[in-house]
C-alpha cells in the first residue's frame, strides 16, 4: 500500500485537472469522486486518482491556497518524443520555468507550470528503469533555502526504514545564493521517492497547503507518532493537518479515511465530517463512533 499520498488543493478545478492528467500517462485513472458536504468551504469535491501507478488525491475547496513551484512532479522519460508529448500537452496555457531544451544534466528537459498551477519537470533519463516514473521534487527556497540537507536528515530520522540516495552539492560559483548546499538529493521514505534541493537562483516561493503530503496511518499510535514528529506550527493544526519546521504541510490521517468518505452513506459522511472538523489531531475511535451514529 502506498503510505504517502500527494494531495493537491484547487479552487474548483480538482476533477478537471485529474481527468486531464490521467489522459497523459499509462497505468492511470480516476479512482473515485466524492462530495464532502458542509465544510468551511461549502460542499467540497474530492477526487482520488492514479498517475503511472502512483496514487494522488485532490480537492476543490475554495481559493485559499495556490500551487507554486516549491513542489513539482519530476517525470522520467525514456525518449525525447515522450518529453515533447508531455510538454506539448502540459504547457498549454501554462508557463515555462525552464524552457524545453538540452541541459548539462539532461539532453531533453523542461520545467513548466501548467494551467492549473501544478509544476512539472519533464526529463529524458538514460536508464528509465532506475527511476520511478514520477517523483516529488521539494525545492527549498525563500526562508528555508539552504535547509534541504537538514530536511533530508530529519525525515530520515522520522520515517523508519527510510534511506538516502544520491546527493550532489553545489560547487563554488554555481549558485546565486550563498546559503545553498544541495542541488540534488534523493530520499526514500515509506516507499516513496522524493528529491530535495536548495534553490540557487533567487526564488522566493515557499511550501504551502496547496501541495501537502498525506500519511495513511493504520493505528492511533501511528497518528500520534507522526503528529508529534511533524507538527511545528500550532496554528496550522486542523483536521489532521500539520506543518513541519521547513513549512511543508502534512495530513496525518487514518488509512481508510478517503475510502470511508467515498463509500459511506450520506448520513455517515455528514457525521464523520462534523466530527473531524472539530478536531486538530484525528481520533480514530471518535471517527468510528461518528460513522456508526453513536455519541461523538
Amino acid at each position: 500500500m502506498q503510505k504517502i499520498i500527494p494531495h493537491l488543493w484547487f479552487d474548483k478545478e480538482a476533477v478537471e485537472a485529474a481527468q486531464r492528467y490521467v489522459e497523459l500517462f499509462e497505468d492511470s485513472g480516476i479512482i473515485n469522486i466524492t462530495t464532502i458536504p458542509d465544510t468551511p468551504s461549502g460542499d467540497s469535491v474530492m477526487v482520488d486518482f492514479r498517475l503511472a501507478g502512483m496514487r494522488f488525491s485532490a480537492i476543490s475547496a475554495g481559493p485559499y491556497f495556490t500551487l507554486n513551484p516549491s513542489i513539482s512532479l519530476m517525470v522520467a522519460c525514456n525518449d525525447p518524443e515522450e518529453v515533447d508529448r508531455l510538454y506539448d500537452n502540459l504547457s498549454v496555457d501554462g508557463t515555462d520555468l525552464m524552457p524545453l531544451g538540452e541541459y548539462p544534466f539532461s539532453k531533453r528537459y523542461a520545467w513548466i507550470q501548467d494551467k492549473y498551477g501544478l509544476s512539472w519537470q519533464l526529463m529524458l533519463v538514460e536508464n528509465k528503469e532506475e527511476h520511478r516514473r514520477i517523483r516529488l521534487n521539494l525545492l527549498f527556497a525563500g526562508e528555508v533555502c539552504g535547509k534541504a540537507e537538514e530536511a533530508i536528515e530529519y525525515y530520515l530520522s522520522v520515517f523508519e526504514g527510510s534511506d538516502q540516495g544520491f546527493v550532489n552539492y553545489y560547487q563554488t560559483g554555481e549558485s546565486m545564493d550563498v546559503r545553498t548546499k544541495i542541488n540534488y538529493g534523493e530520499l526514500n521514505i515509506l516507499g516513496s521517492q522524493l528529491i530535495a534541493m536548495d534553490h540557487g537562483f533567487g526564488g522566493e516561493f515557499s511550501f504551502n497547503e496547496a501541495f501537502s503530503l498525506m500519511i495513511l496511518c493504520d493505528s492511533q499510535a501511528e497518528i500520534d507518532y507522526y503528529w508529534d514528529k511533524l507538527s511545528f506550527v500550532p496554528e496550522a493544526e486542523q483536521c489532521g493537518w500539520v506543518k513541519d519546521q521547513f513549512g511543508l504541510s502534512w495530513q496525518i490521517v487514518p488509512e481508510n479515511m478517503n475510502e470511508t468518505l467515498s463509500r459511506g452513506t450520506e448520513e455517515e459522511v455528514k457525521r464523520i465530517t462534523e466530527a473531524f472538523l472539530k478536531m486538530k489531531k484525528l481520533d480514530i475511535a471518535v471517527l468510528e463512533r461518528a460513522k456508526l451514529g453513536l455519541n461523538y
Side-chain angles (χ1 to χ4, degrees):
M1 180 187 74
Q2 185 180 326
K3 287 279 289 182
I4 295 181
I5 310 296
H7 183 276
L8 309 173
W9 183 298
F10 296 93
D11 179 4
K12 301 175 182 178
E13 306 86 2
V15 173
E16 177 186 329
Q19 290 174 335
R20 178 62 176 150
Y21 299 150
V22 301
E23 294 174 351
L24 300 177
F25 292 91
E26 72 287 350
D27 190 15
S28 302
I30 302 296
I31 299 172
N32 57 63
I33 300 173
T34 307
T35 298
I36 307 173
D38 301 324
T39 75
S41 302
D43 290 350
S44 298
V45 179
M46 181 178 67
V47 53
D48 291 321
F49 60 103
R50 188 178 66 256
L51 289 183
M54 184 177 181
R55 184 178 163 191
F56 289 78
S57 186
I59 192 168
S60 290
Y64 301 105
F65 310 111
T66 302
L67 291 163
N68 68 47
S70 61
I71 304 181
S72 57
L73 303 182
M74 182 172 282
V75 183
C77 301
N78 205 35
D79 54 60
E81 291 75 21
E82 177 71 0
V83 176
D84 292 353
R85 180 184 69 84
L86 291 172
Y87 176 83
D88 289 342
N89 282 275
L90 291 168
S91 64
V92 175
D93 296 325
T95 303
D96 278 345
L97 301 176
M98 291 179 66
L100 179 65
E102 181 175 345
Y103 292 86
F105 52 84
S106 176
K107 292 184 178 180
R108 198 67 172 166
Y109 170 88
W111 183 17
I112 59 176
Q113 190 168 25
D114 70 24
K115 64 182 290 187
Y116 306 107
L118 183 59
S119 294
W120 302 79
Q121 296 189 54
L122 312 173
M123 178 181 291
L124 176 64
V125 297
E126 293 184 0
N127 299 306
K128 184 179 177 181
E129 62 276 3
E130 296 180 2
H131 304 275
R132 292 280 178 89
R133 177 71 155 134
I134 299 176
R135 294 177 291 169
L136 302 185
N137 185 292
L138 309 181
L139 189 60
F140 289 73
E143 293 183 356
V144 296
C145 182
K147 294 188 176 182
E149 185 173 38
E150 179 185 340
I152 289 174
E153 292 173 353
Y154 188 72
Y155 297 148
L156 285 171
S157 74
V158 169
F159 296 97
E160 184 178 353
S162 58
D163 62 89
Q164 180 178 300
F166 174 74
V167 174
N168 192 58
Y169 291 86
Y170 282 101
Q171 300 301 307
T172 302
E174 286 185 337
S175 172
M176 294 171 55
D177 193 317
V178 296
R179 297 173 297 171
T180 57
K181 297 177 183 178
I182 289 179
N183 68 7
Y184 181 90
E186 296 175 339
L187 175 66
N188 302 306
I189 57 174
L190 299 181
S192 294
Q193 293 186 354
L194 308 179
I195 299 167
M197 57 179 64
D198 293 316
H199 191 0
F201 300 98
E204 290 300 321
F205 42 77
S206 58
F207 302 127
N208 67 33
E209 292 85 346
F211 201 131
S212 60
L213 302 181
M214 296 175 63
I215 304 177
L216 305 187
C217 300
D218 59 11
S219 67
Q220 189 63 45
E222 194 172 17
I223 288 177
D224 295 345
Y225 171 79
Y226 287 119
W227 189 273
D228 290 341
K229 294 293 185 179
L230 295 172
S231 183
F232 281 76
V233 184
E235 56 269 28
E237 297 177 351
Q238 185 65 39
C239 303
W241 291 68
V242 297
K243 188 170 289 193
D244 69 21
Q245 66 267 50
F246 310 105
L248 186 61
S249 291
W250 301 81
Q251 296 184 56
I252 304 171
V253 302
E255 64 179 1
N256 64 344
M257 185 76 169
N258 281 15
E259 181 179 358
T260 299
L261 290 172
S262 65
R263 296 188 179 183
T265 67
E266 184 176 339
E267 285 303 312
E268 287 174 340
V269 172
K270 181 178 180 181
R271 291 194 299 267
I272 293 169
T273 302
E274 289 176 349
F276 78 68
L277 286 176
K278 299 175 184 177
M279 299 178 185
K280 291 187 176 181
K281 180 171 63 177
L282 297 186
D283 187 315
I284 292 176
V286 173
L287 292 173
E288 290 177 345
R289 290 200 300 271
K291 179 180 179 181
L292 295 172
L294 303 176
N295 181 24
Y296 59 92

